[in-house]
Amino acid sequence: MDRRTLLKRSLALAAFYGLPAAPLLAATRDMPEIADGEPSDFSFEWLQRLAKEMANSSYQNNVRELPPTLANMTPQDYNAIGYDAGHSLWHDLDGKLDVQFFHVGMGFNQPVRMYALDPDSRQAREIHFDPSLFRYGKADVDVSQFEDEETLGFAGFRVFKAPSLTERDIVSFLGASYFRAVDDTYQYGISARGLAVNTFAESTKEEFPTYTRFWLETPAPDSTTFTAYALLDSPKVAGAYRFVIHCEEERVVMEIDKHLYPREAIEQLGIAPMTSMFSCGTHQRRMCDTIHPQIHDSDRLTMWRGNGEWVCRPLNNPPVLQYNAFADESPKGFGLLQTERDFEAYEDVIGNYHERPSLWVEPRNDWGKGEIQLMEIPTTGETMDNVVAFWKPREAVEPGDSLNFTYRLYWNARPPVTTDLARIRETRSGMGGFTEGWAPGEHYPEEWARRFSVDYIGGDILRITKNGPPIMAQLKVSRGKTSDIQIFQVEEFEGIRVIFDWYPTEDSVDPIDMRMVLEGDGDTLSETWLYQYFPPPPDQREHPPHPLDD
């Protein structure tokens, strides 16, 4: 009787009696019992060779037709499928980390093969799908339709950390090359991807590469760090990945080493892509007609450019699809951040947006010349990710190339680094054209304008404003005119507020690019504020009738 048959009988008996399965052999940290495949040698170098060989041959699509009971599942049924924690990957290790697997179903129809990896012998054994590993509970699933169980595969995996080894996961890999992590709030939000291909290329549609295999290296029992290897594949590119994932007390840090081998030319290659959601915020209230003052997973794109400049670009929910590119060379870092951490900013007891993590990318090798690209998609709700950001290399990507990118991802409330200069606290906008402190009373202003308020904190900016040389707000706009630039000292948040009005000089509704930086005595005192404003059509550039007007 082979190892797989023995394991299936053990799991079946355990499920029947409601008991954990007895180990077939003495448990070791090297090879979990659910790893029932034949042993094979593994190394990262071998994985790179495999990916390169795959890129030299035709793409083999492994999307499969799922049995109807899985293909036609509702999200509620899918979420009702649980994993038997007694058969989690590192259960017998009795350590600080554990892994459970996701079931295939709904749109998760591309089976992912999983392997357990012995860290000492470098031997890997495949973990085959078995329904006995799952608890179907209230899920309407007919397991008799599973004709070829061994090839059904898994959809992904998730990681748990003590003391919550069965309840609240901290890392999740699920769907194509998507993955997520949390900080100490255990609140998911922004997602990352292994690779983006032609996300908004002009001549072709987007492609979604998929992780098709994972090798999960068994950690030491007292360790909160583990290593995962992944094979990525798609019609245009194959890749080999190594993730060293540190599940720290207040954050998750991922060290990523990826090697890419294009099959075909790629118009737009996205490195370290991330996806998030911005519905409305302090500067854009168009979609905030709810009980919530703000709704977003991230509020800004922050960039630490190769020349040392720090840039803050508040996110938008634009009226039309928007693409922006920020050229750079050897970037030091970038990320989509959620900087507002107070519950009162959102008043949301379901979404818990004040607890959602920021995601920061730190390149570890030289990425050369390229650009950080940002896509913002119009959305009417909060269930759709509508923001995408990534690094696009300048050099053309051709078949036969070998590309290597190493970087760290930091999942945390705050990025691991910040500028010593004053940084943007918040951006606001509203009706303009009147003296601040004298909001329209009996009549609205005659000339239509939009007012912008930009708050700065840090960098000792309040003291400099009080005691140093005069501060100048160097403001530029791509069209229109600005006036009434004012700087206020604000003790309440120990910073300053810059206010200005923007007036249209033409009927165009194309976005207005704004740029501002604080200077004093010739020195730069703040990070750079970049903003994109969408003026209304001319027929909407009038104030509504005032209730006191005849």
Side-chain angles (χ1 to χ4, degrees), residues 69 73 76-82 135-142:
T69 189
M73 297 182 78
Q76 292 75 19
D77 279 336
Y78 184 79
N79 290 332
I81 298 177
R135 300 293 192 195
Y136 294 96
K138 298 180 180 180
D140 185 15
V141 176
D142 179 7

Side-chain angles (χ1 to χ4, degrees), residues 441-491:
E442 295 185 0
H443 303 283
Y444 287 129
E446 293 185 3
E447 188 175 6
W448 185 91
R450 192 69 178 172
R451 178 155 299 170
F452 293 88
S453 167
V454 184
D455 295 344
Y456 292 84
I457 57 174
D460 213 14
I461 191 64
L462 183 59
R463 184 194 63 79
I464 294 174
T465 307
K466 291 179 177 179
N467 306 316
I471 290 181
M472 300 294 293
Q474 300 294 343
L475 173 65
K476 296 179 180 179
V477 297
S478 59
R479 296 194 320 279
K481 64 179 182 179
T482 61
S483 68
D484 304 320
I485 300 177
Q486 303 174 70
I487 299 177
F488 298 91
Q489 301 173 15
V490 187
E491 298 283 353

Side-chain angles (χ1 to χ4, degrees), residues 14-67:
F16 181 80
Y17 288 108
L19 299 171
L24 304 176
L25 301 171
T28 69
R29 91 172 172 99
D30 295 335
M31 198 54 64
E33 289 299 337
I34 63 171
D36 56 340
E38 293 300 315
S40 60
D41 293 334
F42 177 86
S43 71
F44 191 35
E45 293 72 23
W46 169 84
L47 184 60
Q48 294 171 46
R49 292 194 298 271
L50 174 62
K52 189 172 184 178
E53 291 170 1
M54 291 170 57
N56 290 328
S57 59
S58 300
Y59 172 66
Q60 302 296 318
N61 190 344
N62 73 330
V63 173
R64 63 172 295 169
E65 183 177 353
L66 297 177

Side-chain angles (χ1 to χ4, degrees), residues 81 119 216 243-244 247 268 294 299 302 337 376 403 422 528 550:
I81 298 177
L216 305 175
F243 296 84
V244 180
C247 304
Q268 184 189 53
Q294 302 183 58
D299 57 53
T302 294
L337 308 185
E376 296 162 305
L403 308 174
T528 301
D550 292 333

